[in-house]
Amino acid sequence: MRKIKLSGREQAVVRAIDYALGSSGAELQERTQIEPQELVDVLNGLCEAGYVEVTPPVEKFGLHEYADDHFEINPSYAADLRETMRRG
């Protein structure tokens, strides 16, 4: 098992993503109530780490694009992230 450390906001976002279907950026903003610019920063960080994947694939997205993008947990990290959420 990989040791994953997430901040509180990162944990909130990972918990808000539907593991089966994924979630849109707008859904994540509604579920987490994190300010949009901060949510974009958190999502970009999770994508850079490889924990979250975005559709359509982009290297980085901004405040104006994230709401319509679709975010999913990377299947390679799903079990490790679930374990991190249980411990965290």
Side-chain angles (χ1 to χ4, degrees):
M1 183 175 103
R2 295 169 262 222
K3 181 79 170 168
I4 297 175
K5 289 190 174 195
L6 299 174
S7 71
R9 295 212 185 260
E10 288 170 332
Q11 287 183 30
V13 171
V14 169
R15 281 189 181 106
I17 296 173
D18 184 316
Y19 271 75
L21 303 172
S23 303
S24 72
E27 291 171 327
L28 294 176
Q29 202 287 315
E30 184 178 311
R31 291 177 191 155
T32 63
Q33 297 298 305
I34 297 173
E35 292 296 320
Q37 184 58 57
E38 192 168 345
L39 179 58
V40 167
D41 293 342
V42 170
L43 286 167
N44 273 316
L46 290 168
C47 288
E48 281 180 30
Y51 303 147
V52 173
E53 298 175 335
V54 62
T55 306
V58 293
E59 199 164 308
K60 279 203 177 223
F61 48 89
L63 189 58
H64 301 291
E65 300 92 18
Y66 91 97
D68 295 327
D69 289 341
H70 188 77
F71 298 91
E72 298 177 348
I73 299 297
N74 182 336
S76 299
Y77 290 99
D80 296 328
L81 287 167
R82 282 190 183 118
E83 181 61 31
T84 297
M85 295 293 116
R86 276 193 283 271
R87 287 191 324 250

